[in-house]
Amino acid sequence: MAVSGRRTGRPTLEEVAALAGVGRGTVSRVINGSPKVSEQARTAVERAVAQLGYVPNRAARALAGSRTDAVALVVPETEARLFAEPYFLDIIRGVSAELAAADKQLLLTLIRSEQERQRFEQYLAAQRVDGVLLVSVHADDPLPDQVRALGLPAVLNGRRTEDERVAFVDSDNTGAGRAAVAHLAARGRRTVATITGPLDMYGARCRLDGYREGLAEAGLEPDDGLVATGDFTEEGGRRAMRELLERRPGLDAVFAASDVMAAGARAVLREAGRRVPDDVALVGVDDSAVARLMDPPLTSVRQPIEEMGRTMARLLLQEIAAPGGPDDQPRRMLPTDLVVRASS
């Protein structure tokens, strides 16, 4: 706004964007020195900044895209599942520890509906956080790309596809499935079933691929009747185990793609009078407290979950400090290890 040809207030990011003919996110990226801007757009923004006399400062940092010292951790799950599954809690523990050491604030965000997703996108557009960590992403989730389009660094826990372009930290999910089946075959099990995670999640598909590779390496014939789809919940493990027993009552081993689903499978096996491990050997993934507390204790493929959270936070902090280009996103793959207990 101008009075008698003179401005009455500090120029805003929106005014710079309007004068430059670009979006607000582009202006923010230019101001923050991001390389993810065309030379033409950068020149237009710099010209508009000079013409308007726009100066980023701490008082206007939300608009200017300066540091907020806050990081959002997004979990697209309900409170019930968040607090019921050790995986999420271990990720949060790792992220929180790393951010606290860097004197950054952690904003935990649950997204349970499309309305909440839209509200969160608006929150991000206001530049109220320096970066975003995303957990439990599915193949069709557009949020990581939307975060990047706003000029904000993002790091995923896991990835959506093999060709993921957003920074991520993952574990060797294929190796997890392969190791589980190799162990079961070495113990003389010949009819090895699996309970998968949701197959719109890349990590779940990798564990299924590892299971199939393990069968081939052990000389065991694949059988689609020995594959049941779960959803990483205990109830999903129960449903899948019932399916498997109906289809292949003679199965003698089960690889469940999470400890929580293995707990559900264990309950169904007990109801059906099947002893673990005498009649059916059981292996899970995560090596969580669930595995250690089961009866009998569960053999599980250990993921370094808390370390995954720490690594995610470290990568995000590095990206905030020195943004990389779209083809220069950090990727980390952490190893998995089989922890043998009495269930197998």
Side-chain angles (χ1 to χ4, degrees), residues 7 9-13 15-16 27 31 45-46 48-66:
R7 299 188 56 83
R10 181 184 298 275
T12 67
L13 204 66
E15 289 172 320
V16 173
V27 176
I31 291 170
V45 170
E46 290 172 349
V49 165
Q51 183 174 334
L52 292 173
Y54 176 81
V55 180
N57 66 12
R58 291 183 64 83
R61 67 183 178 181
L63 292 175
S66 298

Side-chain angles (χ1 to χ4, degrees), residues 59-76:
R61 67 183 178 181
L63 292 175
S66 298
R67 301 288 167 78
T68 65
D69 290 333
V71 167
L73 173 60
V74 180
V75 183

Side-chain angles (χ1 to χ4, degrees), residues 32 36 289 293:
N32 286 310
K36 303 163 195 164
L293 295 174

Side-chain angles (χ1 to χ4, degrees), residues 27 88 125 129 138 162 181 192 232 260 264 302-303 308 320:
V27 176
F88 295 124
V129 295
H138 294 252
E162 183 178 3
V181 175
V192 181
F232 288 140
V260 173
R302 179 181 180 272
Q303 292 192 94
M308 289 172 72
I320 290 169

